[in-house]
Amino acid sequence: MRQKFLQKVISNILEKSSDLSSFSFILPGKRPVVFIKEILKERNYNGILPEFFTIDEYIKIIADKQEIKGIALWLIAFQTYSEIYSDEDLSGFLKWFPTVQKDWDDMKKFHGNDREILEWMLAEERIKNWGENLGDEDGARRKNLNFWRKMNVFFPKLEEKLNQQSFATAGMLHQIAEKNLEKFCKKSKNRFEFIGFNAFTPVEEKLVRTLLQWDTADVFFQGDEYYYKDERQEAGKFLREYKTWKEFNESRSFNWIENEFSEPKNIKVYEVSGNIAQTKVLPEILKEIKLKSQQTDEINRVSTKDTAIVLLDENLLPATLDSLSSTDKLNITMGFPLKNLAFSNAMKKLFNLQKQLEKNASSYYYNDVLPILEELPKNKEDEKLIKIFISTLEERNMVYLSKKQIDELLGGISFYNLFKKQNAKDLLDTLIEFCKELKYREIDDVQYENISHFEKSFVIIKNQLEPYQYEVKIETLEVLINQLINSESIDFVGEPLEGLQLMGLLETRLLNFKNVILLSANEGKLPIGNSQNTYLPFDVRKQFNLHTFLE
């Protein structure tokens, strides 16, 4: 695969130094590392390899603090909130805290002074303007005012508690890194290569510019005249700003704005009805590419590894894999979201059933039970009993079943414990044991990974809850699991240097392919619509230079 941009970068670096042992390469993601190593191998580089970091990893190194996120942060935050206010239980708190916490991180990352924005959200004039078009003027306005009044007390208190325990959120890490920046840049003996970035936070920008001033860094942008010169093109917004840095002058040029977009290319648009249908067209497109390759001369022949399939909708992965079943070598570089797998759906239904049993333990609605039976892994004995159960339901036209009927019909299945009414603590223990037992059965690799992720999440929740004396309901447990699982994905391991490449949009950064097949290039997917979850109104984000969905 011809890595034009990366090859150009490596050539430039090797011209200045033949020893990269004291170099740090800072990249937008980890995927390009394998290609950089391959290019160095092609160039017969024999020295010690440079260090590779993402910019987030480097911010953590400069801040020198332990990052806290996920359930550990939520529980500390709830404990802090409960010390000040007593109007929320844990499940209620978890419904709004993760979103407002991301807003808090944005305040620290992009503005620096979170207190100023928190106070502004309380400003009478702003609330008045915000509420003037609302029908229920006083109610909505008062709720909004009360919420931000609490946040003005809660977040400083949370920050104080995290500092006491030497923890920091992503936003706090940025603030600490900014304070340590000057000292770090003076002390560092490494040379830094920032490769392929498009947008920096203010702290990241300050890091890059400080290192440039000390002449211990190089920056390589990958831009094109098409969107850089045309101010109506939003894609060039950040590059146009960075070009004006005083650090870029006669002795240090801005690398690089190329003119590749204007080169001739062959673009085809396929319109299909329905989401899955587009994956069925894939084998035909690949056949066409192969045919064209065979007709061209030996030098310009295109191999499978020169082709990338880019999924703009990650949910299309299973259907895409089905369509590519005859492909010899396939490398997948994207995670598959856990929430879309059968075992995850069964867990959702199970929590729903347990919530129903909390209300009424003597009766089971058939449609609360059936999906769990269908989607959980089963042995042969289980399958026989489930068949009998389904035929009995149909024969007797049963809608609600008593506890006695459930005992008689399903008492013999291996996972019957899951259908018994349990408190949250016992259910957690039951689920951990159930996942452990399932992993010894004959199940496929994807299902094994799915179950392992759930087991890990259940164990994490159990361990994290132990030090706190919270009364945890089934609903609270459900919210915790959903929050954890929604952000989890199964990572595939493959060979990025050969075979057909299948990836998500972010994985394409810094890479070049001769053929690119985009799936789901629909409005709302490319570009993505306004999907930003935030409690901060658009005008407030704009006023304080926080990123909006436009950025």
Side-chain angles (χ1 to χ4, degrees):
M1 192 189 302
R2 197 159 58 92
Q3 299 300 319
K4 287 185 189 172
F5 174 69
L6 286 180
Q7 284 181 337
K8 205 171 165 183
V9 168
I10 300 302
S11 298
N12 190 291
I13 294 168
L14 288 175
E15 274 171 29
K16 294 175 192 169
S17 173
S18 57
D19 176 18
L20 303 180
S21 58
S22 60
F23 278 62
S24 292
F25 282 26
I26 317 288
L27 304 155
K30 288 286 190 187
R31 182 173 164 84
V33 173
V34 70
F35 294 104
I36 291 172
K37 287 178 180 176
E38 186 65 14
I39 295 164
L40 288 170
K41 195 166 108 184
E42 284 167 12
R43 302 285 162 95
N44 297 317
Y45 174 72
N46 296 318
I48 293 170
L49 283 170
E51 294 179 300
F52 297 99
F53 300 97
T54 63
I55 198 152
D56 286 339
E57 286 171 345
Y58 225 81
I59 291 292
K60 281 184 206 171
I61 290 167
I62 298 167
D64 195 23
K65 269 272 178 95
Q66 175 70 42
E67 186 181 8
I68 185 170
K69 55 187 176 183
I71 188 169
L73 173 60
W74 303 336
L75 292 174
I76 286 179
F78 179 65
Q79 185 187 40
T80 310
Y81 185 85
S82 303
E83 286 167 8
I84 316 167
Y85 307 106
S86 55
D87 58 349
E88 287 274 22
D89 63 7
L90 183 55
S91 62
F93 177 81
L94 288 171
K95 282 170 186 168
W96 57 262
F97 175 72
T99 304
V100 82
Q101 185 256 319
K102 279 181 192 152
D103 287 339
W104 186 48
D105 276 345
D106 281 355
M107 294 176 202
K108 288 179 169 294
K109 277 184 190 178
F110 295 102
H111 184 66
N113 188 347
D114 54 307
R115 304 284 173 97
E116 189 185 341
I117 303 173
L118 287 168
E119 282 166 16
W120 172 251
M121 291 305 292
L122 270 179
E124 191 60 43
E125 192 58 37
R126 193 202 69 79
I127 297 285
K128 193 176 160 190
N129 292 339
W130 173 82
E132 65 185 5
N133 297 322
L134 295 172
D136 175 22
E137 219 175 88
D138 295 333
R141 203 180 290 175
R142 202 180 317 113
K143 272 182 194 171
N144 191 283
L145 207 58
N146 283 342
F147 178 78
W148 288 108
R149 192 173 283 127
K150 284 177 183 175
M151 294 308 105
N152 267 269
V153 178
F154 165 55
F155 277 118
K157 185 90 176 156
L158 176 60
E159 187 169 1
E160 188 187 313
K161 183 162 270 192
L162 292 174
N163 280 326
Q164 282 168 4
Q165 298 181 31
S166 292
F167 288 134
T169 64
M172 288 168 69
L173 285 171
H174 270 68
Q175 273 189 325
I176 299 160
E178 186 172 23
K179 287 174 192 162
N180 297 350
L181 212 54
E182 207 70 38
K183 189 177 156 192
F184 171 83
C185 291
K186 277 180 190 172
K187 207 170 67 174
S188 178
K189 290 184 171 59
N190 273 22
R191 180 151 196 95
F192 298 87
E193 306 295 335
F194 292 88
I195 303 169
F197 285 95
N198 172 49
F200 294 115
T201 65
V203 177
E204 289 164 358
E205 184 180 319
K206 192 176 174 186
L207 167 66
V208 176
R209 294 185 72 170
T210 308
L211 289 168
L212 284 174
Q213 285 160 19
W214 284 85
D215 199 25
T216 55
D218 301 295
V219 189
F220 299 95
F221 295 103
Q222 186 178 19
D224 197 276
E225 283 184 15
Y226 169 73
Y227 56 78
Y228 172 75
K229 286 188 172 174
D230 184 353
E231 297 213 353
R232 293 167 302 173
Q233 297 280 359
E234 302 101 317
K237 171 183 158 66
F238 296 110
L239 290 179
R240 284 192 287 270
E241 287 171 19
Y242 302 155
K243 184 82 162 63
T244 62
W245 289 356
K246 66 175 189 205
E247 288 78 20
F248 296 118
N249 48 40
E250 289 167 7
S251 60
R252 185 190 289 112
S253 56
F254 184 87
N255 294 333
W256 290 286
I257 301 295
E258 294 168 327
N259 194 13
E260 286 197 350
F261 277 30
S262 61
E263 287 179 14
K265 47 189 86 61
N266 181 16
I267 296 173
K268 272 191 171 185
V269 178
Y270 295 81
E271 184 185 353
V272 293
S273 58
N275 221 6
I276 304 299
Q278 58 191 318
T279 63
K280 306 298 174 200
V281 186
L282 270 178
E284 293 304 313
I285 300 172
L286 292 169
K287 211 179 282 177
E288 210 177 294
I289 290 169
K290 197 175 179 184
L291 199 66
K292 271 189 186 167
S293 171
Q294 285 164 357
Q295 289 164 359
T296 56
D297 59 81
E298 199 66 43
I299 300 163
N300 294 317
R301 191 159 290 181
V302 179
S303 71
T304 333
K305 66 179 182 184
D306 294 314
T307 302
I309 297 170
V310 183
L311 302 186
L312 300 171
D313 180 358
E314 58 192 7
N315 299 319
L316 281 180
L317 186 57
T320 306
L321 292 176
D322 285 344
S323 295
L324 300 173
S325 56
S326 60
T327 308
D328 291 341
K329 287 181 180 173
L330 180 66
N331 178 54
I332 307 164
T333 333
M334 59 185 295
F336 183 67
L338 278 186
K339 59 184 177 184
N340 297 332
L341 290 163
F343 189 80
S344 309
N345 292 329
M347 286 297 111
K348 281 178 200 163
K349 300 286 184 187
L350 179 66
F351 279 108
N352 185 52
L353 174 70
Q354 286 291 340
K355 281 193 295 184
Q356 301 308 319
L357 291 176
E358 265 188 335
K359 296 172 194 168
N360 178 9
S362 60
S363 175
Y364 291 76
Y365 178 49
Y366 84 102
N367 217 18
D368 287 341
V369 176
L370 264 184
I372 303 170
L373 294 172
E374 285 165 358
E375 296 192 21
L376 283 178
K378 302 168 271 291
N379 60 36
K380 284 181 183 173
E381 191 56 40
D382 292 341
E383 280 174 3
K384 278 185 207 166
L385 289 167
I386 290 164
K387 267 186 187 171
I388 296 165
F389 175 71
I390 292 169
S391 60
T392 309
L393 284 185
E394 287 167 355
E395 278 169 27
R396 299 189 200 169
N397 200 17
M398 297 164 85
V399 177
Y400 285 94
L401 297 95
S402 67
K403 189 176 179 305
K404 190 183 174 196
Q405 286 170 320
I406 285 280
D407 281 343
E408 284 169 6
L409 292 166
L410 292 176
I413 61 169
S414 61
F415 48 87
Y416 183 61
N417 267 359
L418 300 177
F419 294 97
K420 293 176 182 173
K421 185 192 171 187
Q422 299 176 59
N423 63 35
K425 189 178 175 296
D426 291 341
L427 181 62
L428 205 49
D429 289 333
T430 305
L431 287 168
I432 291 168
E433 281 310 307
F434 175 59
C435 289
K436 275 181 190 167
E437 191 265 319
L438 276 183
K439 290 197 299 183
Y440 289 102
R441 293 193 190 176
E442 283 184 30
I443 49 178
D444 64 57
D445 291 348
V446 172
Q447 204 169 37
Y448 184 91
E449 285 294 325
N450 192 4
I451 292 162
S452 299
H453 273 72
F454 266 93
E455 185 194 0
K456 185 182 83 178
S457 297
F458 293 142
V459 170
I460 287 169
I461 288 171
K462 185 183 176 181
N463 293 342
Q464 294 283 358
L465 282 170
E466 227 152 67
Y468 302 93
Q469 298 304 308
Y470 298 143
E471 187 202 340
V472 178
K473 299 177 190 161
I474 297 287
E475 189 190 358
T476 314
L477 196 55
E478 182 186 30
V479 173
L480 278 170
I481 293 290
N482 285 344
Q483 291 280 16
L484 268 181
I485 295 304
N486 285 347
S487 59
E488 286 267 346
S489 60
I490 292 176
D491 294 322
F492 292 89
V493 177
E495 175 47 71
L497 297 170
E498 57 177 299
L500 184 65
Q501 304 294 310
L502 179 60
M503 60 185 77
L505 191 62
L506 284 178
E507 282 81 32
T508 62
R509 289 177 294 188
L510 311 196
L511 307 181
N512 289 83
F513 296 91
K514 286 183 180 172
N515 302 304
V516 180
I517 304 168
L518 289 170
L519 265 65
S520 286
N522 301 49
E523 190 179 348
K525 300 281 181 196
L526 187 73
I528 199 157
N530 180 7
S531 59
Q532 194 173 29
N533 281 338
T534 175
Y535 279 91
L536 296 171
F538 183 83
D539 61 309
V540 174
R541 281 187 163 269
K542 270 293 188 203
Q543 183 173 339
F544 291 101
N545 297 319
L546 310 187
H547 278 185
T548 66
F549 70 94
L550 294 174
E551 276 75 26

